[in-house]
Amino acid sequence: MRIVLVGPAYPLRGGIAQYLAVLHVKLREAGHDVRFVSFTKQFPEWLFPGKTQFESSENVIDVNPVARFAPLGPRSWWRTYREIAAFDPDLVVFKWWMPFFGPGYWAVQRWVRKRTRARIAYIVDNVIPHERRPGDRALTKLAFSQTDYFIAQSRAVEKDLFTWFPRMPRERVAFSAHPIYDCYPAFPGSQKEARTTLGLPDDGKLILFFGFVRHYKGLDLLLKAMPAMRKALPDLRLVVAGEFYEPRSEFDKLIRELDLEGAVFIHDEYCPNEKVGAYFTACDTVVLPYRSATQSGIIQVCYALNTPVITTDVGGLAEVLVDGVTGLIVPPRNLDALTDAVQRFYAAGGRNAFREGVRREAGRFSWEGMVETIVRFGKS
């Protein structure tokens, strides 16, 4: 089958780019002819909250994309269509996670539908983003109007699709669980060696908050729970590994007010691919105290790197974990429950007590399932 993927790719950075690069590899390994049409940039600089949109990792998956699409560039939309049409695909797969791309996606899809034989599918991360903006629904409705098929990666997203679009025919929607990120190599040494590599203390208990720092991810809630956690577990410390998309000064102030200086290690940077394995080896568990979510790629990194997770019951996060087996699930915005979960995690035996459960459950999230779903839509 001839398939075009549309979305960000290296040298652009981020979880979406990493996901699509792995998908490109998996589709090619399955014997399909795949072309990647990428973005020239994801956002205009005045809208981008981070330090850079470009990858700084040494180890990257370069799928040789052709960069054509710019969200605010109508001429780029035509060039994107021309690139797709020249490949004569059976199926065009877009990644959907933000309505901001709606007008450009709509235009490209409309030309593809009118001038080629290709069908169009979306892999949907969010129907509507966690951080809503005016016009989200209208832009989503515009983009979805030209799409043949939708792949939801959590039941929560599948439910959102039918909630926002109640007339959506069921045969146009498929569920395929978010696959694991098996692209990050495991750290080759011990936990102590991983901590030394990252400049972290080699003793005591370490928990990890990983990924971009955004309000909906609840880092402030985790910090507020830390004093109670440390009262029961005095040697507990927190590692924050991720670039801040919120004012860092507010978190530094909170750390001072809670007397947590020395108990929180902040690595304020986009984590390069080659360092991911070290963080997940150095820490005992990942804690995701999200206020809201639909799904999380971080959990799929945990599965790939055999790391348990403590997370909140929001969106589709609880679908992915098996409570007490691969981690612990707590109610959102509940500091007492979060504190209790961390204490129960260590009382149960810590990382080693969950290791076999994580390894066993990781098999539920294979890329083969996603590839089969895409191919099924391409043949329909």
Side-chain angles (χ1 to χ4, degrees), residues 73-95:
R75 290 183 179 177
S76 79
W77 305 345
W78 175 252
R79 289 194 290 268
T80 301
Y81 153 70
R82 291 288 299 272
E83 195 67 40
I84 293 171
F87 190 64
D88 188 27
D90 302 293
L91 184 70
V92 183
V93 179
F94 291 75
K95 197 76 151 63

Side-chain angles (χ1 to χ4, degrees), residues 82-287:
R82 291 288 299 272
E83 195 67 40
I84 293 171
F87 190 64
D88 188 27
D90 302 293
L91 184 70
V92 183
V93 179
F94 291 75
K95 197 76 151 63
W96 176 266
W97 74 102
M98 187 169 287
F100 173 66
F101 304 121
Y105 276 19
W106 171 84
V108 174
Q109 290 178 97
R110 190 166 175 78
W111 286 316
V112 168
R113 288 174 67 88
K114 281 191 169 185
R115 298 169 183 241
T116 79
R117 62 185 179 86
R119 311 289 276 176
I120 298 170
Y122 275 12
I123 298 174
V124 183
D125 285 353
N126 311 297
V127 179
I128 302 293
H130 318 297
E131 298 155 316
R132 296 182 182 176
R133 299 172 179 83
D136 278 350
R137 184 171 185 177
L139 294 174
T140 301
K141 190 174 182 180
L142 176 71
F144 282 27
S145 69
Q146 301 298 313
T147 311
D148 296 301
Y149 303 112
F150 301 87
I151 300 172
Q153 299 184 99
S154 73
R155 295 296 182 190
V157 169
E158 186 181 44
K159 182 181 178 182
D160 283 349
L161 270 168
F162 291 114
T163 299
W164 287 92
F165 302 96
R167 296 181 180 178
M168 177 85 70
R170 290 213 164 257
E171 62 271 18
R172 292 175 56 195
V173 179
F175 167 77
S176 185
H178 194 306
I180 62 172
Y181 280 99
D182 55 2
C183 51
Y184 300 112
F187 183 76
S190 66
Q191 185 177 71
K192 184 176 181 179
E193 289 169 330
R195 291 182 178 187
T196 300
T197 296
L198 297 170
L200 296 169
D202 61 8
D203 60 347
K205 301 175 178 64
L206 285 183
I207 58 176
L208 175 64
F209 179 97
F210 188 85
F212 295 124
V213 177
R214 310 194 71 148
H215 178 70
Y216 76 85
K217 294 187 175 182
L219 175 58
D220 57 320
L221 301 177
L222 178 54
L223 290 172
K224 289 174 183 175
M226 280 290 291
M229 292 178 186
R230 283 173 52 80
K231 188 173 182 180
L233 303 166
D235 63 344
L236 179 76
R237 285 169 285 194
L238 168 66
V239 178
V240 179
E243 188 174 323
F244 280 66
Y245 278 16
E246 307 288 343
R248 160 106 184 242
S249 58
E250 295 179 7
F251 295 89
D252 290 338
K253 179 183 178 186
L254 186 58
I255 289 168
R256 290 194 299 271
E257 291 174 349
L258 295 170
D259 197 21
L260 290 173
E261 293 159 307
V264 179
F265 303 96
I266 294 180
H267 294 190
D268 180 7
E269 63 171 356
Y270 177 81
C271 183
N273 296 335
E274 55 273 12
K275 282 189 178 180
V276 173
Y279 278 107
F280 283 72
T281 299
C283 298
D284 303 316
T285 183
V286 171
V287 182

Side-chain angles (χ1 to χ4, degrees), residues 19 22-23 26 123 153 176-182 296-297 299-301 303-304 362 364-371:
Y19 177 104
V22 178
L23 177 59
K26 302 296 182 182
I123 298 174
Q153 299 184 99
S176 185
H178 194 306
I180 62 172
Y181 280 99
D182 55 2
S296 169
I299 295 180
Q300 305 305 340
V301 178
Y303 272 119
R364 293 193 290 133
F365 307 103
S366 72
W367 282 95
E368 286 74 15
M370 176 59 68
V371 169

